Amino acid sequence: MAKAQQRLSQVQSHLASSEADIPRGRESILRKSPDDIVVTCALRTPLTRGGKGGFKDTAAADLLAHTFKSVISRSKIDPNLVEDISVGNVLSPGAGATEYRAAALVAGFPETTAVKTLNRQCSSGLQACVDIAHAIRCGMIDIGVGAGVESMSTQYGPGAVSEFSELLDSHPEAKNCKVPMGALSEQMASDRSITREVQDAFAARSFQRAEAAQKAGKFNEEIVPMKAKWVNPKTEEEKEILVDKDDGVRAGMTVEGLGKIKPAFKKDGSIHAGNASQVSDGAAAVLLMKRSTAERLGQSILGKFVCSSVVGVKPLLMGIGPWKAIPVALEKAGISKEEVDVWEINEAFASQCVWCVKELGLDEAKVNPNGGAIAFGHPLGCTGARQVSTLLNELGRTGQKVGVTSMCVGTGMGMAAVWVKE
């Protein structure tokens, strides 16, 4: 009889498993339920400069294997209980499906742990976490890992985008999907009167916040140091180094200093290397399960996933993605922007981030309080998973509860997710 009742409860839970059925309103999403999709571990490697930093000679799969090992060791989860892993990646051929399955095996997950990879451009890491959360919510699996990884040092460049066929090139809107993001962001900044001065002020603040956070040790909890082989580009000497912090954070950055950097995409343009996200390498992972599962296994709960949104916008207006995605996620959660304590919005370009924050009417003090991708980097497939650890740690340090992660997405999309700190 007890088994029958347990099975009935499981079926009822699965029937009420869509995001339309989640509790709504701040009080509701703060309420605890056995069916909550919770995070019991969220961590990342340091983020390092593409082509120059500590991971320039490290394969993406090796970054991911180290991250997986760290999830197992920190959470003390039995790897045999993890049923599926989803990895976001943008630049690896086939999104790294073969080597990332191998990375999971190297890390200590058994052959019974399935692995998939996906590519939704800059939101790939978040999509990976959301896919695992949904798989748990609908009863497909009980425990899973959402992750993201990118080695832009080894795989970034023209080869990352395939040639369009005559059919795709013949369609005006489809053809816009291949316009370089720097060029379309430059055009958006011009069309919407986002001056270089405004962009540089935003970028300087990102660097200053990241520098202060790094000095205060605010990233230490989310970062797992890693030993890596590094080849000196001048002497070709190979040595092993310990990478234990984000190496793209530049000390003493000011608006005046940024003002001296030449435009990158247009002679009289406003976007340059100092007010756009850095080309970077890194990996991140998030361990997810139901609250009831976490409590049964004695897993510490960091926070929970509430809901997410994904939207499309015109390809040439890629940068406005968060502006469209965030209200949809807030509506699903039944909360207002004023009820959000911290926003982690990816700084692909200062131009688009400034515009989204202004148009949404967000409190700038709550947006990327420890800096963002302009200051410490944007490894494309990694960022969405990285934001989860950064957000939950900041909420915990400040005694706050509700956070949102979001980003614009290449070819014209946006994604956002609502999270609650335990």
Side-chain angles (χ1 to χ4, degrees):
M1 185 66 180
K3 287 185 177 180
Q5 187 63 43
Q6 182 182 20
R7 181 56 186 155
L8 178 60
S9 296
Q10 289 176 336
V11 171
Q12 289 173 333
S13 173
H14 297 166
L15 289 174
S17 61
S18 77
E19 288 199 348
D21 298 309
I22 62 173
R24 291 169 55 81
R26 184 175 169 106
E27 287 188 13
S28 293
I29 65 174
L30 292 179
R31 198 174 301 137
K32 296 178 182 179
S33 164
D35 290 330
D36 287 338
I37 308 302
V38 301
V39 174
T40 65
C41 185
L43 48 74
R44 65 178 178 91
T45 67
L47 306 185
T48 68
R49 294 180 297 164
K52 299 178 181 179
F55 292 142
K56 72 179 183 67
D57 301 308
T58 301
D62 291 1
L63 294 172
L64 192 62
H66 177 74
T67 307
F68 286 159
K69 286 180 182 178
S70 300
V71 167
I72 294 171
S73 61
R74 180 176 290 189
S75 70
K76 297 181 172 53
I77 189 72
D78 178 354
N80 293 286
L81 298 177
V82 178
E83 295 158 282
D84 197 13
I85 296 172
S86 181
V87 182
N89 179 265
V90 177
L91 300 177
S92 297
T98 302
E99 57 264 44
Y100 300 158
R101 160 70 164 164
L105 294 171
V106 166
F109 288 107
E111 68 275 8
T112 53
T113 301
V115 178
K116 76 166 183 180
T117 62
L118 62 90
N119 180 358
R120 197 195 284 278
Q121 309 250 22
C122 301
S123 67
S124 298
L126 176 56
Q127 186 67 63
C129 294
V130 169
D131 281 4
I132 291 296
H134 288 172
I136 296 168
R137 184 169 274 161
C138 76
M140 181 179 179
I141 63 172
D142 290 326
I143 302 173
V145 173
V149 66
E150 209 72 68
S151 171
M152 298 184 77
S153 289
T154 61
Q155 294 173 315
Y156 185 59
V161 181
S162 58
E163 290 294 322
F164 271 26
S165 66
E166 289 184 11
L167 173 64
L168 300 186
D169 267 338
S170 69
H171 188 286
E173 200 69 284
K175 189 175 182 178
N176 287 338
C177 287
K178 67 176 183 178
V179 175
M181 284 186 279
L184 62 84
S185 295
E186 187 71 74
Q187 189 61 52
M188 176 184 166
S190 176
D191 292 345
R192 305 200 175 202
S193 301
I194 308 165
T195 66
R196 171 161 178 164
E197 289 73 22
V198 168
Q199 294 175 57
D200 285 355
F202 180 90
R205 184 166 64 245
S206 182
F207 277 109
Q208 290 158 7
R209 287 178 174 180
E211 181 186 358
Q214 190 174 69
K215 287 181 177 177
K218 290 184 177 181
F219 300 128
N220 293 354
E221 185 65 23
E222 65 193 73
I223 288 178
V224 285
M226 177 179 175
K227 291 181 179 179
K229 290 182 179 179
W230 190 83
V231 178
N232 187 311
K234 294 181 179 179
T235 65
E236 297 187 354
E237 176 192 2
E238 181 182 297
K239 62 181 179 180
E240 185 178 75
I241 62 173
L242 177 66
V243 184
D244 59 3
K245 66 178 182 179
D246 304 325
D247 65 18
V249 179
R250 303 176 205 171
M253 187 60 71
T254 64
V255 173
E256 292 73 25
L258 290 169
K260 299 175 182 177
I261 303 175
K262 292 181 179 180
F265 305 105
K266 192 177 175 184
K267 188 175 181 181
D268 59 346
S270 62
I271 298 175
H272 55 80
N275 64 20
S277 57
Q278 296 182 35
V279 172
S280 309
D281 308 321
V286 180
L287 179 61
L288 296 136
M289 63 192 74
K290 281 190 176 181
R291 182 181 297 279
S292 56
T293 304
E295 291 175 345
R296 175 169 53 82
L297 296 175
Q299 286 278 302
S300 297
I301 298 175
L302 301 180
K304 71 176 179 181
F305 166 79
V306 178
C307 64
S308 60
S309 66
V310 64
V311 301
V313 298
K314 285 185 173 296
L316 291 182
L317 294 177
M318 170 275 305
I320 72 172
W323 166 78
K324 189 172 181 181
I326 286 173
V328 177
L330 296 182
E331 173 63 26
K332 287 176 180 290
I335 59 175
S336 67
K337 63 186 179 185
E338 289 79 16
E339 293 175 298
V340 176
D341 299 311
V342 177
W343 305 87
E344 278 289 330
I345 302 177
N346 189 43
E347 300 169 353
F349 299 89
S351 57
Q352 58 82 212
C353 205
V354 163
W355 187 87
C356 289
V357 170
K358 181 180 179 181
E359 290 298 309
L360 289 168
L362 306 184
D363 181 349
E364 292 183 3
K366 295 181 178 181
V367 179
N368 303 343
N370 297 311
I374 288 173
F376 46 72
H378 172 32
L380 306 176
C382 166
T383 291
R386 189 277 303 167
Q387 287 180 318
V388 179
S389 60
T390 304
L391 176 70
L392 293 179
N393 278 297
E394 176 63 13
L395 289 170
R397 268 190 305 272
T398 55
Q400 300 181 98
K401 288 294 183 181
V402 180
V404 169
T405 59
S406 184
M407 67 285 292
C408 61
V409 182
T411 70
M413 290 177 278
M415 194 166 183
V418 179
W419 307 83
V420 168
K421 174 62 181 173
E422 190 75 2

